[in-house]
Amino acid sequence: MESVTPMLEFKKTCISYTKQTMAVKYVSAAIEKNTITAIMGPSGCGKSTLLRAVNLMHNLYPNIRVDGEILLNGENILAMEPIDVRRRVGMVFQRPAPFPTMSIYDNVLSGFALNGIKLSKAEKDAIVEHRLRSVSLWDEVKDVLNKKGTFLSGGQQQRLCIARALAMKPDVLLMDEPTSALDPIATKHIEELLLELQKEVTILIVTHNMGQAKRISSKSMFMYLGELVEYGDTEKLFTNPVDERTKAYLTGKMG
Amino acid sequence: MNNLKIKKRLVQDKFMCWGVCLLATLTAIPLFAILGKVLLSGYDQLSWSFFTEPTPTAYKAMKAIEAGEPIPGGIANGIIGTMIMLGMAVVVAVPLGILCGAFLAENSKTRFAQFVSYLTDLLQGTPSVIIGIITYVWVVVPMKGYSAIAGSVALCIMMLPLIVRSTEETLKILPASLKEAGLALGGNKARVMMKVQLPSAFGGIFTGVLLAISRVIGETAPLMFTALGCSFVRFAVDKPISAVPLLIWEFFNDPNLQELIWGASLFLLLFVLLLNLLSKYIAKKWNQ
């Protein structure tokens, strides 16, 4: 047993869309600080549902129930204010969603604007440059910062969205299949970026792509029909899975 | 044999194509007939003074007709009145309508929102003459007189459902990811609405507002009960005031002024046309 509090911990987390069926069943798992954890599994296994519970996205939809506990640094998220949680837990979506009416510059700072935080021009400039550099987008966009974010390519847009999430200095970054809408080169860029970013943020990434999980994550979860089937070191999970279902999925017999 | 079949299909295709073109032309005929008539008859009257001078008295007009001169004066009182009432109506209806539309889009599943939505539909279908008489009872009677304020209340009520609907519809077709992305950054619902959703929906909302304006600018019936009319240029909002559609009705009822109908109609038509073109342009620009 470790003595340090994990960054994020699921304790018997259950999520249901309707009264009869559970989309996520009694998931328990602890996620360490500054790691990349991949959540894998076939479509409809509940991996996105589990991810979206971490920043309380389910609160937007009154019929969704989340039970059990999700601890962020030892604090139960489910009992916290969504606004507080979401400032500490950033999220990047499947489709790049830069705010269409805002410039690249304003997109990076949108988190501050949405939280009503006023910044001086110098602070703004510093944050924008720092964040765009950390997603290695700065050199590509430094001369067009006032253009709309939607002018960028898909991969650039997704990096802009990562920069936007990072600007709020979250403890945890949730990523819901962030590269599934991107081409292989853009995907490679993002993967390299994530490996770099885990130094400052704990990343939880849902992915369909087993190769991706293998390449970037240190720990992996395999979910099936709402259950967390297997959770452990990525290398071990891929080379020597314990559960038959994991084995079947990894060898392409299922999913 | 096969060749013949293809030929038959080609002929059918041609036939359908011509049929559709013919029907489309038929529907366009009334539009062009109206535009043509108003343009031809109204064009002569358009002059600088037509826009800067108020309506002439029937006596002056009669004298001018007798002398074989063009009727003096214009519709400045109507234009100013229309602008004042429209301006006041827009100032109230736009924020109210947008807020209501935002509420409906965000809470579409609650019973209250469904009720409001239903009422909006009902309001949209309410005959304008009824809105006029209601405003008369609500505003003109308590204020003890016809006024620009009363007129603008009537126009405002007529504009509201259009603005509410266009706001609601535009917000609903925005991708959900936009709102979720805003909330995921820690914004509260109000800020995400103001900074992300409404700006993204601006094109659609603005188009809705312009269409609402062009819809009510020609309304005559509700203004008869509320603004009444006035034969000189006036800026006071608590006194009876004129409007272009009211003038058209007055001109029609005065044999000496009938010549002016077409000029006033042309002005209204051109204004509505301009608003429509503008709204098309903005919608296109915003969607790029």
Side-chain angles (χ1 to χ4, degrees), chain A residues 12-25:
Chain A
K12 292 187 183 161
T13 306
C14 299
I15 305 167
S16 49
Y17 290 92
T18 57
K19 277 191 181 127
Q20 294 83 29
T21 53
M22 256 194 251
V24 170
K25 299 169 192 163

Side-chain angles (χ1 to χ4, degrees), chain A residues 71-144:
Chain A
L71 304 178
L72 177 67
N73 256 331
E75 260 182 286
N76 187 7
I77 284 174
L78 301 179
M80 287 163 69
E81 275 300 314
I83 293 173
D84 291 335
V85 176
R86 290 176 192 146
R87 274 171 71 168
R88 291 165 60 186
V89 181
M91 185 158 188
V92 175
F93 295 83
Q94 184 171 5
R95 296 213 154 268
F99 299 130
T101 55
M102 295 185 195
S103 63
I104 295 171
Y105 188 90
D106 288 334
N107 256 292
V108 178
L109 296 167
S110 55
F112 296 97
L114 287 168
N115 282 291
I117 300 169
K118 298 254 185 303
L119 298 169
S120 71
K121 179 85 175 84
E123 283 173 308
K124 283 184 183 174
D125 289 346
I127 292 170
V128 169
E129 183 173 347
H130 173 61
R131 287 306 160 187
L132 288 176
R133 273 189 197 284
S134 64
V135 297
S136 48
L137 197 58
W138 176 253
D139 291 328
E140 293 160 53
V141 303
K142 63 174 185 247
D143 298 321
V144 289

Side-chain angles (χ1 to χ4, degrees), chain A residues 36-39 51 175 177-178 194 203-207 212 216:
Chain A
I36 299 179
T37 304
I39 311 179
L51 189 83
M175 310 190 94
E177 300 187 40
L194 296 185
I203 298 172
L204 194 57
I205 180 172
V206 164
T207 178
Q212 181 168 65
I216 62 172

Side-chain angles (χ1 to χ4, degrees), chain A residues 52 55 57 60-61 83 86 89 91 93 97 99-102 110 113-116 164, chain B residues 176-189 191-192 195-196 199-200 286:
Chain A
R52 287 164 63 88
N55 70 345
M57 266 303 147
L60 296 180
Y61 308 95
I83 293 173
R86 290 176 192 146
V89 181
M91 185 158 188
F93 295 83
F99 299 130
T101 55
M102 295 185 195
S110 55
L114 287 168
N115 282 291
R164 177 175 76 184
Chain B
S177 60
L178 219 54
K179 175 182 159 195
E180 290 188 347
L183 291 169
L185 285 165
N188 60 25
K189 274 190 166 184
R191 282 218 180 87
V192 173
K195 293 201 192 268
V196 176
S200 305
W286 208 261

